[in-house]
Amino acid sequence: MTDPNPRHALYELACRYAQAVDRRDWRQLAALFTVDAQLIGPGFTLDGRDAIVAGMGAIERYDVTQHHVHNQLVTLDGDEAAVETYCVACHVYARDGVKRKLDWGVRYRDRCVLDDGAWRFASRTLHVDWTQDLPLEG
């Protein structure tokens, strides 16, 4: 059943994306995109749900990630929505035997559509506004 509050459903869509990526749950990730969706980021474009899922596998080079979803603005137009979501994406990895944490200040610019009763990403563009890479303590 479709969530009667599209703004809530669209925020949940962004949170489910973060959860799927952080858990490396590629089946859940696939369900969040339309079949012909596009994912664009710095230096890459992935066309189609299968390519998106395959391409997101690159995140496995990090030991762990956490995507913290923050404010979101939505412009609704019937069964479509233009959405901008802020996020801080944390990536833990090792370099030269030292654990490090790479943080990205991210804005996702999305076009979402109501597809078979559920909101899905038709296109998602990732903008990295800032980065920080520091040794991880503890």
Side-chain angles (χ1 to χ4, degrees), residues 65-88:
T65 57
Q66 285 190 344
H67 289 71
H68 302 270
V69 178
H70 298 288
N71 44 307
Q72 183 181 75
L73 292 174
V74 173
T75 302
L76 293 166
D77 184 11
D79 289 349
E80 291 195 19
V83 183
E84 183 173 56
T85 306
Y86 282 59
C87 173
V88 175

Side-chain angles (χ1 to χ4, degrees), residues 11-77:
Y11 186 76
E12 186 170 307
L13 178 65
C15 291
R16 291 200 181 281
Y17 173 90
Q19 180 185 59
V21 170
D22 292 340
R23 291 184 180 177
R24 309 327 191 233
D25 185 340
W26 308 128
R27 180 175 290 146
Q28 178 182 330
L29 183 70
L32 304 177
F33 287 88
T34 62
V35 172
D36 59 348
Q38 186 176 61
L39 178 64
I40 302 167
F44 71 89
T45 299
L46 302 170
D47 292 313
R49 180 188 302 166
D50 293 341
I52 291 168
V53 172
M56 288 301 295
I59 203 156
E60 292 181 12
R61 68 180 167 211
Y62 299 105
D63 298 337
V64 66
T65 57
Q66 285 190 344
H67 289 71
H68 302 270
V69 178
H70 298 288
N71 44 307
Q72 183 181 75
L73 292 174
V74 173
T75 302
L76 293 166
D77 184 11

Side-chain angles (χ1 to χ4, degrees), residues 72-116:
Q72 183 181 75
L73 292 174
V74 173
T75 302
L76 293 166
D77 184 11
D79 289 349
E80 291 195 19
V83 183
E84 183 173 56
T85 306
Y86 282 59
C87 173
V88 175
C90 306
H91 310 76
V92 175
Y93 70 102
R95 183 171 69 203
D96 301 327
V98 176
K99 287 269 191 188
R100 299 188 64 85
K101 185 165 80 84
L102 170 63
D103 296 330
W104 291 354
V106 172
R107 283 178 301 116
Y108 293 104
R109 305 277 317 257
D110 303 319
R111 186 173 64 81
C112 300
V113 297
L114 199 54
D115 178 43
D116 197 23

Side-chain angles (χ1 to χ4, degrees), residues 1-4 117:
M1 184 169 111
T2 304
D3 188 323

